[in-house]
Amino acid sequence: MSKELSPNVEEVRSIIEQIYKRITHSYVEHYVDVPSMAENRLELLYLFLLEQGMPKEKASVLCTATGLVQLGLDTHELVKNEYDSSQNAERNRQLTVLAGDYYSSRYYHLLASAGEIQAIQVLSAAIQRVNEAKMRLYIAGRDSKILSDEEYWELRNTIDTGLYVAFVEEYADSIDRRRFWSDLMKETAKVESVIGEWEQLKWQEQVPLGFARFLLQKPGATLAQVLSGVEGKALELIGLCEQMVRTLHPAETRNMLASITARYSHRISRLKKVIEEM
């Protein structure tokens, strides 16, 4: 890959700024907490699209649209099944639903204006798959169904990476690249999820919805075992990502991806250091 195609921090940051500009609404922001951006996934998607020879302008548009959809889906995740009966609580619930719809609708306007009909089709199909996975995971939790590790991560991966993997499936120029980039996005998303839960377990001392709650559902599981299991899973996944990156060519892409996976290792090192000092 030529050097001019290498994305840099400023380019990805510009994409993220464009996403937030498109969703800014003072009234909504007063009542609704905007979810954090999946920055690493956007960076991986941007790098993948450039590697496939896509012009930076088009790659930026597709990444911006994907980020808008992700924010919409994540905002809907904030909607609670139960609220208190106050007027403010009801307004918060209604606005959270509407905000998610608003964020998602912005992607369609952006892609339609750019004439990217193919990308609209890709994201529309991906949104359906993500929502189906959410429903399956919700129903399993509601019915106290104990999922296998494979079943849990299949659903979790679809929810977290379905939008990004959809573009990999559409634009990858070979089976090997499709497999590599899909696996990398899934494994790095797992790392993010597990580290986030590990931090929540340590700082808030509560079991978050996710892999930790899945582990706690297993017969005889204790909180200490869950904490150890989450830590072990995080380290295992980072090792897997690093091993995948080492097999990639050309070296320039490999080095850039290595810097992304290194962030997870640094985050874990900081967390363990703080824990040791407590």
Side-chain angles (χ1 to χ4, degrees):
M1 188 169 73
S2 63
K3 191 166 186 177
E4 68 173 324
L5 290 180
S6 298
N8 54 48
V9 175
E10 287 71 25
E11 289 172 352
V12 176
R13 190 171 296 161
S14 177
I15 291 172
I16 293 172
E17 289 175 356
Q18 286 298 316
I19 293 171
Y20 280 119
K21 283 181 181 178
R22 290 176 180 273
I23 65 170
T24 299
H25 194 296
S26 58
Y27 187 73
V28 173
E29 291 175 345
H30 182 72
Y31 291 99
V32 179
D33 293 327
V34 179
S36 58
M37 189 74 63
E39 296 185 16
N40 284 341
R41 269 167 271 174
L42 277 177
E43 190 170 353
L44 288 173
L45 177 59
Y46 188 58
L47 178 57
F48 162 76
L49 294 174
L50 295 189
E51 187 190 63
Q52 296 306 297
M54 185 175 290
K56 287 186 176 183
E57 293 76 12
K58 180 174 181 177
S60 178
V61 168
L62 297 193
C63 287
T64 301
T66 304
L68 288 168
V69 175
Q70 187 70 66
L71 281 181
L73 293 172
D74 291 347
T75 299
H76 282 157
E77 287 287 290
L78 300 177
V79 179
K80 301 176 183 177
N81 291 328
E82 297 181 1
Y83 278 78
D84 61 52
S85 58
S86 69
Q87 185 176 8
N88 282 340
E90 181 60 26
R91 181 184 290 117
N92 177 274
R93 186 175 192 276
Q94 292 172 347
L95 282 175
T96 300
V97 173
L98 291 174
D101 293 342
Y102 174 67
Y103 299 159
S104 295
S105 69
R106 297 292 288 162
Y107 97 88
Y108 186 88
H109 179 266
L110 171 64
L111 293 179
S113 300
E116 295 293 347
I117 307 304
Q118 181 183 12
I120 292 176
Q121 295 171 339
V122 170
L123 279 176
S124 296
I127 291 169
Q128 178 181 338
R129 290 191 293 270
V130 168
N131 284 328
E132 287 173 350
K134 285 184 177 182
M135 286 300 299
R136 289 172 59 192
L137 193 59
Y138 169 77
I139 291 172
R142 183 199 64 185
D143 297 342
S144 300
K145 178 184 177 182
I146 299 178
L147 301 173
S148 67
D149 286 20
E150 292 77 14
E151 290 172 327
Y152 172 81
W153 282 117
E154 178 184 357
L155 294 175
R156 188 72 256 169
N157 273 332
T158 300
I159 293 169
D160 293 339
T161 68
L163 304 178
Y164 311 87
V165 170
F167 280 115
V168 173
E169 295 286 341
E170 185 69 25
Y171 290 106
D173 59 10
S174 71
I175 294 175
D176 287 342
R177 287 188 184 277
R178 182 179 297 115
R179 182 185 300 113
F180 171 82
W181 284 97
S182 295
D183 288 348
L184 182 64
M185 288 183 177
K186 291 175 182 178
E187 297 305 328
T188 52
K190 283 183 187 179
V191 174
E192 288 182 41
S193 175
V194 172
I195 294 178
E197 291 188 34
W198 187 12
E199 291 172 337
Q200 192 170 346
L201 280 165
K202 292 304 298 184
W203 308 144
Q204 300 180 21
E205 296 184 348
Q206 62 183 26
V207 181
L209 291 173
F211 183 62
R213 185 67 58 88
F214 164 74
L215 290 178
L216 197 59
Q217 289 178 336
K218 294 187 176 182
T222 65
L223 190 57
Q225 290 172 336
V226 169
L227 185 58
S228 176
V230 169
E231 177 183 352
K233 190 66 176 179
L235 296 173
E236 172 194 334
L237 291 170
I238 287 178
L240 178 59
C241 291
E242 292 173 340
Q243 182 179 357
M244 290 174 62
V245 168
R246 284 195 293 269
T247 68
L248 184 65
H249 299 283
E252 186 175 346
T253 305
R254 182 173 67 246
N255 293 339
M256 188 163 295
L257 291 176
S259 70
I260 294 175
T261 57
R263 297 173 194 167
Y264 302 126
S265 298
H266 294 156
R267 189 171 164 189
I268 284 184
S269 296
R270 288 196 301 269
L271 176 59
K272 294 182 76 170
K273 184 177 181 180
V274 170
I275 292 173
E276 291 171 356
E277 294 174 351
M278 290 177 65

